[in-house]
Amino acid sequence: MILAIVEYYRGALMKGKSSMLSFAIQPLSFIFIVYVVSGGRFLSSAIAGAMVSFIVGAGIADLSIELVGMKVRSKFYDIFASLPGSGIEKTLGVSIGMSLPALPYVIVLAFFLTVSGGVESLPLILFAVTTLWLWSVSLGTFLGVRIKEPLTVMRLSTILTTLLTVFPPVYYPLSVVPEPLRKPLLLIPTVSASTVMSGEPPGLAFISLAFWSVIGVFMLLKFELRER
């Protein structure tokens, strides 16, 4: 069931090159801006920030909008809800399918970070990507289930992704902010993920990501396609 749903979204989302490019414009633009402004010093953080943006955008924004859109297309939602398999299987199928457009960019950017940080940095990068994806998908699922209006979820997901990726130290290193703010900011999963990916000492960032991944799994296990 999961593979069938993923294949459906692969065919629907990855046909046009223009749509794939438009999906990447903002994160790649931020890499360029941060690189120019910092004189190249923050390139690793900028690449990590773009990876975070791709993952959060697919999990929180795209997934929640698609789930609410299913409700608007009520017949499609009813058919989807009646498909065999548990709610978690169908949720994972949709979430993986909606994440496919981001996957090529995440892989390429992860390659650059691995080259920069060495092969030993790859396990931490994979850990950060996986845990952030789980958390993003769980939040996107929650929004998609609870919200009924497409415009509402579009606006809310835009606000959330902006607050989680643009203003905190995601595209730029944590060392730029005043020291008293660093530990509290690491409680934000996007900041922790960017910190781990960019090769800074994990420490609290690793613990924060592990915590949010557990929360994400718990929320997904509680997911129901139909609101009660």
Side-chain angles (χ1 to χ4, degrees), residues 29-68:
S29 298
F30 281 158
I31 292 178
F32 176 75
I33 293 170
V34 172
Y35 176 81
V36 171
V37 172
S38 68
R41 291 182 298 120
F42 298 160
L43 180 58
S44 293
S45 294
I47 292 175
M51 291 175 65
V52 169
S53 290
F54 281 124
I55 296 167
V56 169
I60 295 178
D62 296 344
L63 177 59
S64 61
I65 292 170
E66 174 64 10
L67 291 175
V68 173

Side-chain angles (χ1 to χ4, degrees), residues 88 134-135 138 212-222:
I88 185 66
L134 280 172
W135 175 78
S138 68
W212 286 113
S213 69
V214 172
I215 296 297
V217 171
F218 176 78
M219 290 178 65
L220 285 175
L221 290 174
K222 292 293 184 180

Side-chain angles (χ1 to χ4, degrees), residues 118-139:
V119 179
E120 62 274 10
S121 66
L122 184 58
L124 283 175
I125 293 172
L126 292 176
F127 170 77
V129 168
T130 304
T131 53
L132 183 66
W133 182 80
L134 280 172
W135 175 78
S136 300
V137 165
S138 68
L139 183 54

Side-chain angles (χ1 to χ4, degrees), residues 182-203:
R182 294 176 190 174
K183 287 185 177 180
L185 284 171
L186 282 174
L187 299 177
I188 303 173
T190 50
V191 176
S192 296
S194 177
T195 300
V196 171
M197 291 178 194
S198 61
E200 296 185 39

